[in-house]
Amino acid sequence: MCIRDRISSSIADLFSELAYILGDVPLPPLNSLGHHQSLWSYKNEEEVRRVAETFRKKQIPCDFIHLDIDYMDEYRIFTWNKERFPDIKVLSSELLEKYNIKLLAITDPGVKVDSEYFMYKEGIKDGHFIKNGDGKTLFEGEVWPGKCHFPDFSQQKTREWFSSKFKILEDSGIEAFWIDMNEPSIFSELGTIPENAIHPCDGKNKFHAEIHNQYGHLMSKAVYEGLKKIRKNKRIFILTRSAYIGTQRYAGSWTGDNNAEWGHLRMSLPMLMNMAISGQVMIGPDIGGFLGKPSAELLIRWYQAGLFYPFFRNHSINKNCRHEPWVYGKRVERIIRKTIQLRYKLLPYLYTSLVETCKTGIPFFKALFIDYFEDKEVYNKEWLNTEYLIGKSLLIAPILKRWRRKRKVYFPKGTKWFSFDGTQIYEGGKTYTVSIPIDSFNFIFVKEGSIIPTIDKNIQSTEEVLKEPLTLLIFGKKEARGEVYLDDGYTMNYEQDCEIAQFEAKLQEIESWSLYLSRKGKKRRYINVENVKQVGHREIGFAIFEE
C-alpha cells in the first residue's frame, strides 16, 4: 500500500518503521494462502493428474501442486522433459478447469555447461556468469545438472536476462514460482561458491564474500522484477530458499530441508516468529518434515500447529517418505481434511490479516509479546516458543510433543479468551491445563469481543472465496467488533478496487443481537454477510443495520 498506516503502540511502531525503511510488501495473490502439495518429485503428467483428482475426490482443499526438478530435461532450467511432461500447457489448463488446482514449478540458478544449451550459450556470449578468482576464467560448480556456471545477479543486465526466461514457464501455464539452491548451494566440500570468486557486478568487480548473503535476495529481486514485466497487472507469488532482509518485497521463504521429527515441529514456531520479526511475510516450513517419514500422529499435529502458517505446504523427499493427507488411512485423512477445511473457512480472516501486514509491517504470524509487550509472562520461553498469535484475535497453542493430549496454555493479560467452540472462557494473565484431543480444535482461542469472518461451506479452492457469503462468528457476551477485507484476489488493482467492512455487534436482549455494518471501498462490492452466530449458542436472532 502506498500510504503508511501510523500505529500508536511502541512495538507496532517499530515494525511499521522497519517496513517503511525496507519498502512495502506487495500483496500476494489470495491463492498463495491455500494448501500446497509437493513431492520430490511427481515424475510425470499422469502422477500429477492422479494427485489432483485424489484431492478433489476426497474433498481435501488444495490450490497448488508443486513440480520439483524432475520436470526438466536433465535438470536444465527453463526446459521440459518431453517424455514425462509432453504438453505441460494442456496439463496446467486441464488441472485449472477440472479442479481449480494450479502448478508451481522450481528453478535453480545453476546453468548446465552444455555448448548446445541456449542458456549456456547466451550466458557465455553476454558475460552473465561468475568468474574464478583470476578474474578471467568462469567459475564451475557441480549441482543437479552436473557442471554448471552461475549467474551474477549483482548485474542489472544478468537479472534482466535471467528473469526474461520465466516467460517460458508463464506461457506453459505455471501460476507460481519456486527458486531453490540459491545460497548458492554447490556439491563440494565447501558447499558453496568460494569467497574469492569474482562477480563482474556491472563493471565494479566484487568478491563472492561480499555478495554471498545477498545472492538469493538478488535472484528473488530478478525473478520478481522480470515477472512484473511479463505479467503486467497480475500478482506474483515466488518462494525462495535463501533470503535476506528486504526479500519479502519479492518473495516468500520457507525454512529449507527440515526433518520429520517432533523437535523440528517445535522448532518451526520460534523460527517463523523470528522470520516475521525481520519483516518476512509469506513464511512456513515443510509440513510433516522433508527428510524422513513422519508418524501419523506427527503429521496430524504438524497440520494443526501449522494451520495458520502463512505458507502452508506438505512436502517430502521421495515416494518412500511421501505423506499426502490420505497416506495413513481414513481416520488420519478425516482429521487432516477437517483441519485444512478449517483453514479455508477462515481465509477471509487470514486474508484480512495478511493485508494488514502488507499495509503496516506488523506481522500477522507473531509472538505474544508483539501485542502484549507489557505482560512480563509472555517472555517466558514456555509460552514464547510454543504459542503464537494470528492477526488481532486468534491465539494458537498446539500440541508439540508425542503422545500428548493436553498442555498448559498461558493467556495474555488484559482480556478474556474463548475456546474456538465457545464452550470455555479463560481469564487473561493465567495459565490453564487444556485438553486437546487429536481430533479437536481445542488449540485455537479467540480474544473476547472479536468477530471472526468465515465461510460456512467446505470450499476446495481459494477460487471459491469470493463466490461464497460470509458467516460472522461473535465471541463475546454483550458486544464485539471485527472487520474483513476482500478484493479480486489476483490483480494489482487492489489499491483502487477493494472493499472493507467493519462490524460492531451489540446484544439487545437474550439471544438477540444487532449488527452494525459499515463499508469502505471502491468500484465493486465483494462482501456479502449471510449469517451471524454467537459461538457457543445454538441459535440467535440478529438484525443487520448498514450505514
Side-chain angles (χ1 to χ4, degrees):
M1 304 293 176
C2 293
I3 300 174
R4 172 70 46 203
D5 287 9
R6 304 304 299 177
I7 309 297
S8 58
S9 73
S10 59
I11 292 288
D13 267 336
L14 178 65
F15 292 110
S16 192
E17 292 305 321
L18 177 64
Y20 181 75
I21 292 168
L22 297 178
D24 289 334
V25 176
L27 185 59
L30 174 60
N31 58 31
S32 66
L33 288 172
H35 182 216
H36 296 244
Q37 180 60 53
S38 187
L39 175 71
W40 183 24
S41 287
Y42 293 122
K43 296 289 188 181
N44 54 48
E45 287 188 0
E46 286 311 307
E47 188 170 14
V48 172
R49 284 190 178 92
R50 283 196 301 272
V51 171
E53 183 180 9
T54 303
F55 270 107
R56 291 299 176 253
K57 182 179 179 181
K58 293 180 176 294
Q59 295 190 310
I60 301 171
C62 182
D63 265 81
F64 280 98
I65 293 174
H66 291 207
L67 301 181
D68 213 317
I69 56 175
D70 293 292
Y71 78 81
M72 302 177 199
D73 178 15
E74 296 184 347
Y75 307 128
R76 296 174 180 87
I77 56 175
F78 305 117
T79 68
W80 295 96
N81 183 312
K82 292 297 184 180
E83 291 183 4
R84 293 176 174 176
F85 293 88
D87 198 331
I88 190 66
K89 192 167 185 177
V90 169
L91 174 66
S92 60
S93 297
E94 179 185 324
L95 295 181
L96 191 60
E97 291 170 9
K98 279 190 175 182
Y99 309 117
N100 264 335
I101 288 177
K102 283 75 66 180
L103 292 176
L104 182 153
I106 196 170
T107 302
D108 293 341
V111 174
K112 183 177 177 65
V113 174
D114 174 358
S115 60
E116 299 301 315
Y117 176 33
F118 71 94
M119 288 292 290
Y120 173 81
K121 290 190 289 186
E122 292 175 17
I124 293 289
K125 175 177 174 291
D126 296 323
H128 292 304
F129 296 136
I130 296 170
K131 298 178 180 180
N132 286 312
D134 60 14
K136 297 177 181 178
T137 58
L138 296 179
F139 170 75
E140 197 173 88
E142 186 165 338
V143 280
W144 302 116
K147 293 179 179 180
C148 288
H149 295 320
F150 292 82
D152 175 20
F153 292 116
S154 69
Q155 294 196 113
Q156 177 70 25
K157 70 173 186 177
T158 300
R159 293 197 299 271
E160 292 177 355
W161 165 70
F162 189 87
S163 64
S164 70
K165 305 307 179 185
F166 278 81
K167 192 172 190 305
I168 296 169
L169 300 181
E170 175 79 10
D171 289 347
S172 299
I174 300 302
E175 179 68 19
F177 308 89
W178 171 13
I179 52 178
D180 195 16
M181 301 287 286
N182 56 346
E183 290 78 19
S185 181
I186 308 289
F187 298 160
S188 67
E189 186 176 349
L190 182 61
T192 191
I193 295 174
E195 291 186 350
N196 69 342
I198 300 294
H199 290 252
C201 196
D202 293 325
K204 302 173 183 177
N205 286 359
K206 289 187 177 182
F207 290 117
H208 183 69
E210 300 174 79
I211 301 294
H212 179 80
N213 288 351
Q214 299 179 57
Y215 192 82
H217 170 81
L218 291 170
M219 183 180 182
S220 301
K221 175 183 171 74
V223 177
Y224 183 82
E225 291 180 344
L227 284 168
K228 275 185 71 176
K229 295 176 183 177
I230 294 166
R231 289 194 147 189
K232 310 298 184 186
N233 196 40
K234 190 177 179 182
R235 288 187 225 172
I236 298 161
F237 180 64
I238 300 165
L239 180 69
T240 180
R241 191 167 82 181
S242 178
Y244 192 70
I245 192 163
T247 300
Q248 63 270 17
R249 301 198 306 272
Y250 311 117
S253 48
W254 92 107
T255 59
D257 296 348
N258 59 349
N259 294 343
E261 300 172 1
W262 287 92
H264 278 222
L265 166 58
R266 289 190 292 274
M267 194 187 302
S268 72
L269 299 189
M271 284 181 74
L272 295 186
M273 288 185 278
N274 281 326
M275 291 170 74
I277 286 170
S278 75
Q280 303 295 313
V281 177
M282 292 302 295
I283 50 178
D286 290 333
I287 292 172
F290 176 69
L291 298 165
K293 191 174 180 70
S295 66
E297 180 191 12
L298 176 56
L299 185 61
I300 290 170
R301 291 304 195 187
W302 210 318
Y303 262 107
Q304 292 173 349
L307 177 57
F308 298 103
Y309 290 158
F311 175 62
F312 188 60
R313 176 174 79 165
N314 177 321
H315 184 39
S316 54
I317 187 170
N318 57 41
K319 290 186 177 181
N320 295 327
C321 297
R322 66 192 303 169
H323 45 261
E324 291 94 344
W326 53 83
V327 165
Y328 294 89
K330 290 187 177 181
R331 178 173 179 268
V332 175
E333 177 189 316
R334 175 181 57 81
I335 295 170
I336 294 176
R337 177 193 300 111
K338 187 172 69 168
T339 303
I340 301 171
Q341 285 175 342
L342 179 60
R343 180 182 175 95
Y344 276 66
K345 286 176 178 290
L346 288 167
L347 277 172
Y349 177 82
L350 270 178
Y351 191 55
T352 301
S353 300
L354 172 62
V355 170
E356 184 74 11
T357 293
C358 293
K359 288 174 63 179
T360 67
I362 301 169
F364 77 99
F365 185 102
K366 54 191 169 181
L368 302 185
F369 69 79
I370 292 179
D371 284 2
Y372 301 96
F373 59 92
E374 294 181 340
D375 184 348
K376 293 181 180 179
E377 185 62 19
V378 302
Y379 300 95
N380 183 328
K381 288 184 179 180
E382 186 171 0
W383 326 121
L384 183 65
N385 292 333
T386 68
E387 300 178 16
Y388 64 91
L389 301 169
I390 283 292
K392 297 176 179 177
S393 299
L394 298 186
L395 168 66
I396 314 302
I399 293 289
L400 300 171
K401 293 184 178 180
R402 187 181 182 189
W403 298 335
R404 300 292 176 91
R405 296 296 182 268
K406 60 183 178 180
R407 62 160 288 174
K408 290 182 179 180
V409 179
Y410 177 72
F411 295 91
K413 287 180 181 178
T415 186
K416 293 180 180 178
W417 297 86
F418 281 75
S419 60
F420 193 67
D421 63 6
T423 60
Q424 303 293 323
I425 301 177
Y426 303 93
E427 294 287 338
K430 294 184 178 181
T431 301
Y432 294 81
T433 297
V434 179
S435 173
I436 308 178
I438 199 165
D439 60 350
S440 78
F441 296 129
N442 292 0
F443 57 92
I444 305 172
F445 307 93
V446 186
K447 185 178 180 179
E448 183 184 34
S450 299
I451 297 176
I452 306 297
T454 68
I455 295 171
D456 257 351
K457 182 181 175 183
N458 287 324
I459 62 174
Q460 299 298 298
S461 164
T462 57
E463 297 285 339
E464 300 175 63
V465 169
L466 297 178
K467 301 175 184 177
E468 295 300 321
L470 299 180
T471 292
L472 305 181
L473 302 183
I474 296 174
F475 290 86
K477 294 295 186 182
K478 293 183 178 180
E479 60 182 20
R481 291 177 174 81
E483 66 179 6
V484 63
Y485 169 102
L486 287 175
D487 55 33
D488 67 20
Y490 304 103
T491 74
M492 298 301 292
N493 295 336
Y494 59 85
E495 293 271 14
Q496 298 80 34
D497 184 12
C498 64
E499 186 176 24
I500 303 168
Q502 296 176 323
F503 312 109
E504 183 177 0
K506 294 184 177 180
L507 182 66
Q508 301 302 324
E509 54 187 67
I510 296 175
E511 296 186 341
S512 179
W513 289 76
S514 293
L515 180 78
Y516 301 92
L517 186 158
S518 63
R519 298 178 189 265
K520 299 177 183 178
K522 304 171 183 179
K523 293 189 179 180
R524 292 174 59 186
R525 176 169 288 193
Y526 292 98
I527 298 165
N528 174 24
V529 177
E530 184 176 76
N531 199 6
V532 180
K533 296 179 181 179
Q534 184 182 9
V535 179
H537 293 250
R538 288 186 180 179
E539 191 172 336
I540 64 169
F542 65 91
I544 298 178
F545 301 92
E546 184 167 349
E547 292 183 6

